[in-house]
Amino acid sequence: MLNITKVFWYSIVICIAIVLWGSIAPEHLNGLTASMTSFIYTHFGWFYMLVIVAMISFCFYMMFSRFGKIKLGKDSDQPDYSLPAWFAMLFSAGMGIGLMFFTTAETISHAFIKSPNAVPGSEQAILDSIQYTYLHWGFHGWGLYAVVGLIFAYFKFRVGAPGLISATLEPLFGEKAMRGPFGQIIDTLAIFATVVGVASTLGFGSAQINSGLTYVFNTPNTFWFQLLILAIATVIFILSAWSGIGSGIKYLSSINMWLAIILLCALFVVGPSMYILNMFTTGIGNYISNFIQMSFELKPENTEQRAWINDWTIFYWAWWISWAPFVGMFIARVSKGRTIKQFITGVLIAPTLVTMVFFAVFGGSALNIERNGIAKLSELATETVTFGMLQQYPFGTALSFLTIIVIAIFFITSADSATFVLGMFSTGGQLNPSNSVKIIWGLLLSSMAAIVMYYGGIGGFQNMLIIAGLPFSIILILMLLSFYKTIKKTR
């Protein structure tokens, strides 16, 4: 049985309407959503800053409070997955494809195109580039995921509530309200944010894989070739989601983590090893030293620097918030049996450290190329920067080929995780949604990505992701209050 709920049908109707809008009038979609996004950046930047700081503060509080010993499940429950498999799955679902997309491009942009505090190309701009990428991809984002995942896991495995956002709000608003239209609106919003975010990711992921293949093997860089990549990836991620978390998703995530580690080590050896180590160490020092200041930095008196914060920092906070329902639920789904302290330590600290290593190795290698005048990576398209950098080092073609494989598998693991979670959200929070539901969501995600790619509406999709993040940030605060109201009764 499909066991789908009204939320499934509401979400399908909204998604189809958005696809039709993006197909028939992509410029109108892009224009209107861009205006709304700009309004949100300007008027709610302070709000995003405070929400993110509140989430990460709550993480540290829960980690060291008396609640840290509480299990996410019954007291006798043990973790379903080994530590390496658990870590691989949460990392692959949470940021894999995005990290591979921005790890060189963002660093190069901050250092040589537009810097947050210094003249582009200067020594200070190069140092700042690593520090700010650590800000955007470090504790703040993973703290948000940790809080949402913790709340989902606590209510699902400790309280026994359905795996739905509306279920986590019942202590505040009551069961009757959350199982009626109000709760359905909240769950539909979560599905909408997930669908738009993943469809956008499938779009730019296909573009980056196509760009890499073109750069290395001179394959066509056209919509139809991207469509072929998307079709192949769709078959694989649906099969992975079909097989379940304990099979396809777990094995693909673990394999890709090892491939990513091999890639990192290889680039470190053939790249500027000492420069990477120096940038890694200096970046961590600057990140820690300026952690508080960067967390509240809005620069209202400097129009140019405020624009940079809007374009990067606020954008990232909105992006992380929009992804929180999907990633938080997936992390919760694979975390049963761990204590709150183990959960937060694993979700908050381990991915942050791995991310810092990624940016130091890939970003540091790219910075070294441009600062020494070897190549102008800042003039390349965003999806091409990584491959342009790798070609400047020994075994560049082999490393590029391995990078394409890693990107492709991260692409698949993000999509199969999303498909699984969409199945949960649209079947009343079932832990193991039916394969038919997962196939429907997988095909719908890829169809949306393909149609909008063809008509050029990816920008509009990304804007909608930011727009969806605003109401969801309010829901996040309510979830946190509801969770604290519930857990403080625990002895």
Side-chain angles (χ1 to χ4, degrees), residues 19-60:
V19 168
L20 290 175
W21 185 11
S23 304
I24 297 170
E27 292 181 1
H28 182 264
L29 172 66
N30 289 345
L32 182 61
T33 56
S35 299
M36 295 175 69
T37 303
S38 176
F39 179 84
I40 290 172
Y41 284 164
T42 303
H43 294 86
F44 292 93
W46 62 272
F47 179 68
Y48 280 119
M49 285 285 191
L50 294 181
V51 168
I52 295 291
V53 170
M55 294 296 159
I56 195 171
S57 301
F58 190 73
C59 268
F60 285 108

Side-chain angles (χ1 to χ4, degrees), residues 142 276 367 372 420:
W142 281 100
I276 290 171
L367 291 171
N372 287 314
F420 199 95

Side-chain angles (χ1 to χ4, degrees), residues 162 166-167 169-184:
S166 56
L169 298 176
E170 286 186 9
L172 283 186
F173 299 105
E175 181 177 332
K176 184 178 179 181
M178 284 298 99
R179 302 201 177 184
F182 185 33
Q184 291 167 356

